[in-house]
Amino acid sequence: MAKDNYLEKLNAPQRDAVTHPEGPLMIIAGAGSGKTRVLTYRIAWLIEQGVDPFNILSLTFTNKAAGEMRQRVEAVIGSDAKNLWMGTFHSVFAKILRFEGKRLGYTSDFTIYDTDDSKSLMRSIIKELALDDKTYKVNYILNRISSAKNALVSWESYANNPIYMEDDKAARMPEIGRLYKMYVLRCFQANAMDFDDLLYNTNVLFRDHLDVLNKYQHKFKHVMVDEFQDTNVSQYLITRKLSSVHQNICIVGDDAQSIYAFRGANIQNILNFKADYPDLKVVKLEQNYRSTQNIVNAANSVIARNKEQLEKNVFSENEEGSKIEVIKAASDNEEGRLIATNIFEEKNNNSLKNTDFAILYRTNAQSRAFEEALRKLNIKYRIVGGLSFYQRKEIKDLLAYLRFTINQSDTEAFKRIINLPKRGIGDTTVAKIVVTAAENNKSIWEVVSNINQYVAGRAAQTIDDFATLIKSYGLLIEEGKDAHTVASYIAKTSGLLKELYDDKTVEGLARYENIQELLNSIKQFVDNPENEEITLSAFLQTVTLMTTADQEDEDGDHDRVTLMTIHGAKGLEFKYVYIVGLEENLFPSQMMLSKRSDLEEERRLFYVAITRAEKKLTLSYAESRYNYGRLNYCEPSRFLEEIDPKYLQISRSRMISFGNNEARNDRAATSSPVPSGFTKKETLISNLRPVQKATPVNHTPTGDFVASDTTNLKQGDKVEHPKFGYGTVTKMDINGNDRKATIKFEAQGQGEKTLLLSFAKLRIVE
């Protein structure tokens, strides 16, 4: 494709971003504004200007995004795209650490611990220190350590920080500093890094070895970072250091889509970027090519309420589109049935596929009602974020053998395979080996390969046989055999494959087939001409760094409705989107109501959810929901009130009747029949008092705030709103179920607001 051809496909701001020659560049890319195309064409344009692909570093957050971008660049410039340094932060810096890790005391074959490995190691340390595992919860401790690493706080600094120590004492876990130290040292002894270490150790490498930093500063003449609003402190410092010589840093992001603070993302990185680069050129991509005008405008009306944001005006020139439907259900189960029925009808009426639909929720636990409802209608679905192929036991068992073959210091892999298949090696013997290695500052392998010095009896001979087996695998590596050859040999000779083959149960057959599928994937890796290395070590790194979003449907049937959390939906798009569970204390989450910054992040999350929709958006909430075995009555989310009412269509309430077993059709006018297995009922439950919102940000209600019946609300009435305070009704607009009130509020900065009375909780002031 000629240069002029692809530049002609861009709008003016996109073209400005692509052809920016040198110097710092910030591309503020609104939802659906074509940022991937801009990044792709910018890389192509730079190469056409004479920049060597080897000198371009492009960082993304998923392997899938990196792969798609590389394919697009290759379509424009050809095979030169293979020479780009392009990938996720973790994969690119893992590659650098493979080359330079010896400076920090690691070999090039270090293991990358996944979450399960980290948990297993931490459980072992807690047990060794005889700490109460009910007090010292593994997930909490690892999250604490992860936060410290992402803030570049070493275990030494942590232990000497009185604030951290006081926090841990207050949480009744004064030994966290000690656990952090032991965890780090055990990982180092095992020649292993966890995901956070890949960033932390890269920072340490560049800090302590300036010659290495200088090498990569001059290598990467252009540094490009996608989704910059999601970067943490560690990622920001690395990219800033790498680009400090040439100053050719290009960041792409949208502050309105910063939703990962819980895992360390710092929105200030993008909000304050201009302060770090006074000569910064800013380009705003504001045209949304994805969604209808109604969807884009509704999203804008929500996000406008956030104070901390970069100024932009996202717009769409697509069709106006249908209004956003809001569905009220009596319960979470009813919500599931209504949404499933809606999908069923939309599919039949508009000849759509399952893949056109997505159900997005705030928490994974919400999926149950929708799964049950979809199953009753024989609608296939997939849950994104469930157990992935590579997390299954039999897969992790074989991968542990492969890991230990490459890295005999890998303690967690050793513990997994030493008695797999059964060799008669008890937990006591394994624990003794691990402790002996730690006490003598030796690797697991040094103890195992000289086991007779440490263990006596039959166990010693069995372990010695195991060591001989591992040595035979090592010979294949030394001979330069490819990953598939080595993995196939290990699967057969370890006994794993035979044990599964001999298990003739349905589960056993499935596990055997999974192992065969793993071997197939390794063969595909070896046969892929784009892979520079086809060694076992290279394959393991690829697998370990794979994210959930990179997984494919395992049964080959891709036509499924997608169920996923909103966090998982970032970067995706669907024709029909259902955002469910829009209730106070669920979305926004109860845990995100104490600070304005937290509430603004929840609002950004809602914005992300809205902007996933292309053609039609449906919102739903339940008036009651079970939580920890108790039935709670719910109040509609404040976010529903924040959407400009002119973009909404309020559906008739569809609710379960209490004490009435006869069903009534609450949608007589629908063109589709009621699917089998579903009953439609309705009742009035307006006398049920909703639970109160958490303390509002803008106004504290007087006394025991109870919303009034607004059926007869009229112009001139005085009202109180739980967030906006006191006001006077200046106008009433009644159009069927869409009853709106325009209210002029007295509090400074509130002004006049139009509220849908279906959602707004108002107390009429006598």
Side-chain angles (χ1 to χ4, degrees), residues 301-302 305 581-590 592-596 599-600 602-603 606 621 635-644 692-699 721-724 755 759-761:
S301 68
V302 170
R305 296 173 181 267
L582 277 162
E583 299 138 33
E584 281 294 297
N585 299 325
L586 180 57
F587 193 21
S589 167
Q590 188 173 18
M592 303 291 280
L593 296 176
S594 60
K595 294 189 299 184
R596 178 177 293 280
L599 180 59
E600 292 203 349
E602 285 288 281
R603 190 174 287 115
F606 186 44
Y621 67 96
E635 181 180 0
S637 169
R638 67 185 71 192
F639 294 154
L640 289 169
E641 294 181 36
E642 293 178 356
I643 300 176
D644 191 318
Q692 295 303 308
K693 289 183 180 178
T695 303
V697 175
N698 298 330
H699 173 70
H721 187 279
K723 291 205 303 294
F724 307 139
L755 303 178
F759 304 136
K761 298 302 177 185

Side-chain angles (χ1 to χ4, degrees), residues 123-337:
R123 286 191 197 98
S124 298
I125 296 172
I126 290 171
K127 188 173 181 180
E128 284 177 37
L129 296 180
L131 298 174
D132 183 359
D133 59 5
K134 291 184 177 59
T135 300
Y136 287 87
K137 296 186 182 299
V138 169
N139 285 346
Y140 178 87
I141 295 165
L142 289 175
N143 285 337
R144 186 88 167 150
I145 291 173
S146 176
S147 297
K149 287 182 180 179
N150 286 328
L152 300 180
V153 177
S154 66
W155 67 262
E156 296 97 333
S157 298
Y158 189 100
N160 292 318
N161 187 309
I163 296 176
Y164 292 143
M165 295 298 100
E166 285 302 317
D167 286 346
D168 292 345
K169 284 179 183 177
R172 298 183 180 179
M173 288 179 277
E175 297 290 345
I176 289 182
R178 188 178 175 196
L179 290 170
Y180 185 7
K181 174 183 178 180
M182 290 185 67
Y183 175 79
V184 169
L185 295 180
R186 289 290 173 84
C187 284
F188 183 74
Q189 288 172 345
N191 191 34
M193 300 186 199
D194 63 19
F195 288 120
D196 295 319
D197 287 329
L198 296 175
L199 302 177
Y200 179 86
N201 285 334
T202 301
N203 271 292
V204 172
L205 178 71
F206 289 163
R207 181 195 68 195
D208 296 347
H209 301 277
L210 296 181
D211 58 324
V212 176
L213 173 60
N214 186 62
K215 169 183 171 181
Y216 288 99
Q217 283 175 331
H218 285 84
K219 176 178 179 58
F220 299 131
K221 294 180 180 177
H222 286 267
V223 177
M224 306 179 71
V225 187
D226 192 13
E227 304 286 8
F228 192 75
Q229 76 280 350
D230 294 335
T231 56
N232 59 31
V233 172
S234 184
Q235 291 162 328
Y236 172 69
L237 288 176
I238 292 172
T239 53
R240 186 175 179 183
K241 284 181 179 178
L242 286 174
S243 58
S244 63
V245 170
H246 297 286
Q247 293 283 301
N248 293 326
I249 182 169
C250 168
I251 68 161
V252 185
D254 180 8
D255 58 294
Q257 298 186 64
S258 178
I259 58 173
Y260 294 119
F262 68 94
R263 69 184 190 196
N266 186 353
I267 193 174
Q268 298 304 321
N269 289 349
I270 191 168
L271 293 179
N272 297 330
F273 194 74
K274 190 174 181 65
D276 295 329
Y277 296 92
D279 299 330
L280 180 71
K281 178 180 176 66
V282 178
V283 177
K284 297 179 182 180
L285 307 183
E286 297 173 305
Q287 183 170 355
N288 181 305
Y289 292 94
R290 174 190 301 154
S291 307
T292 64
Q293 292 181 30
N294 269 326
I295 292 171
V296 170
N297 292 337
N300 287 345
S301 68
V302 170
I303 202 64
R305 296 173 181 267
N306 273 9
K307 289 189 174 181
E308 280 203 300
Q309 59 178 305
L310 298 170
E311 184 183 345
K312 55 188 169 296
N313 178 34
V314 179
F315 66 95
S316 173
E317 293 183 354
N318 295 338
E319 62 181 347
E320 182 180 357
S322 58
K323 289 189 175 184
I324 297 167
E325 184 178 6
V326 181
I327 294 176
K328 176 168 67 172
S331 67
D332 46 352
N333 284 336
E334 181 75 354
E335 182 184 35
R337 287 194 288 271

